[in-house]
Amino acid sequence: MFDGFEEFDISTTGASVHGCRGGSGPPLLLLHGIPETHLMWHRVAPHLAERYTVVATDLRGYGDSGKPPSTADHEPYSKRAIGSDQIEVMRELGYDQFSLVGHDRGARCSYRLALDHPDAVLQLAVMDVVPVGDAYNRADKDFASSTGNGRSSPRQNRPRNSSSTRHRPIWSTSCSTLGPR
């Protein structure tokens, strides 16, 4: 599936991480979302490998990566712990700095990794995830009412299961609107 890529298993402080690496150029780490594994990148990675050294891993708890026992606070599966695994993998592969792309859960782990290791992450791209800070900062009464999920939502004037109330996005925006309000 990843022609020209080499598979690896690297032991980190918290778990064994499975992945693959291929291509040449600046290093680029790809982190998958839920419920995928590194295999989700199989159509994109070969194209990226024409310009980058692509590293795609299974996050801890997914695919062929280790699945350490959890704890009461779930710390072994925190975004910080998963991000630390990825830093260790990239350093083991010889990359102290790299670009990072995360999808869904991988995006959340990417945020944390970039915050904890700003000198390691040269560029960050996240996909299919709402920026947490923006979501919380904008989650006011109007936002709750517009989603149809607020308890005080003025839905009583609309039919309960009409097409106008079903399939309404909870968050719909473009990057240009994510700036200051």
Side-chain angles (χ1 to χ4, degrees), residues 36-158:
E36 295 101 3
T37 66
H38 77 281
L39 297 176
M40 73 164 278
W41 302 105
H42 77 277
R43 292 182 189 214
V44 174
H47 297 288
L48 292 171
E50 294 171 6
R51 294 184 12 186
Y52 300 94
T53 299
V54 175
V55 176
T57 63
D58 290 343
L59 302 177
R60 90 167 47 183
Y62 292 83
D64 291 327
S65 285
K67 297 159 185 68
S70 193
T71 59
D73 65 357
H74 307 292
E75 191 282 329
Y77 290 91
S78 68
K79 310 310 185 279
R80 177 167 279 142
I82 292 169
S84 293
D85 290 341
Q86 303 306 317
I87 284 288
E88 289 184 50
V89 164
M90 293 304 279
R91 288 185 178 152
E92 179 69 22
L93 294 173
Y95 310 118
D96 291 326
Q97 293 185 313
F98 52 92
S99 296
L100 177 58
V101 175
H103 169 254
D104 189 46
R105 181 170 179 82
R108 299 271 187 232
C109 297
S110 296
Y111 280 143
R112 186 73 260 164
L113 190 157
L115 288 170
D116 289 348
H117 304 278
D119 294 336
V121 178
L122 299 172
Q123 298 176 85
L124 173 64
V126 296
M127 300 180 294
D128 294 331
V129 67
V130 175
V132 174
D134 286 333
Y136 287 146
N137 289 335
R138 295 179 183 194
D140 57 13
K141 180 182 173 195
D142 293 333
F143 173 80
S145 295
S146 71
T147 65
N149 292 326
R151 292 197 187 271
S152 61
S153 174
R155 293 182 74 180
Q156 55 271 36
N157 295 331
R158 289 184 256 151

